[in-house]
Amino acid sequence: MARHAFTRELRLLTPAHFKNVFDNPVRAASPHLTLLAKPNELGHPRLGLAVPKKALKRAVWRNRVKRVAREAFRLKQHKLPNVDIVVIAKKGIGDVPNDELFELLDRLWRTLSRRCNDSA
């Protein structure tokens, strides 16, 4: 069984990395999440998370969403193209159970992969 980690090089770390993704991204959206992506030259995908207090008031709720998003990314990273991805949570995400959130993210990863391959 393959081991997949979520190491430092798989994360968007600086405001400049996030800003690069926000400039003219490829989008995949649902009522609860928006994924923005932009191709990179690194040979692997990277993930950034934006879970605002406006969407989820309590830190434990925000942390749950981030934890699920990181895990979903960790498991699918080998199937994703070489892109920088920012996951943005919207209001109502707190009501979505973990298993449905995994399925939603899986659908959005596939949509994003398709759109990135089409634009390349």
Side-chain angles (χ1 to χ4, degrees):
M1 182 162 152
R3 292 179 54 120
H4 303 290
F6 186 64
T7 59
R8 187 173 175 85
E9 57 265 1
L10 294 175
R11 295 182 229 159
L12 295 178
L13 297 171
T14 67
H17 293 158
F18 279 86
K19 186 174 181 340
N20 180 43
V21 176
F22 286 122
D23 295 337
N24 196 22
V26 175
R27 293 178 183 270
S30 77
H32 302 295
L33 291 171
T34 299
L35 272 61
L36 306 176
K38 195 159 189 187
N40 69 34
E41 304 296 324
L42 300 173
H44 57 81
R46 294 190 302 177
L47 178 69
L49 299 166
V51 185
K53 279 186 183 179
K54 217 172 211 180
L56 292 165
K57 296 288 183 217
R58 299 203 171 212
V60 292
W61 300 341
R62 291 192 301 275
N63 292 340
R64 178 187 69 92
V65 171
K66 290 189 279 189
R67 192 169 43 252
V68 170
R70 279 193 301 265
E71 182 66 7
F73 176 80
R74 186 184 72 79
L75 295 172
K76 294 293 181 182
Q77 68 188 0
H78 60 285
K79 294 182 179 178
L80 295 172
N82 300 333
V83 292
D84 291 341
I85 303 169
V86 175
V87 176
I88 304 169
K90 299 179 188 176
K91 272 197 184 312
I93 189 77
D95 300 331
V96 180
N98 287 357
D99 56 341
E100 288 179 29
L101 190 52
F102 264 106
E103 291 172 18
L104 175 62
L105 282 162
D106 192 39
R107 266 197 320 270
L108 292 173
W109 300 139
R110 285 196 306 267
T111 302
L112 207 56
S113 295
R114 224 176 16 256
R115 289 183 182 169
C116 287
N117 290 335
D118 291 345
S119 69

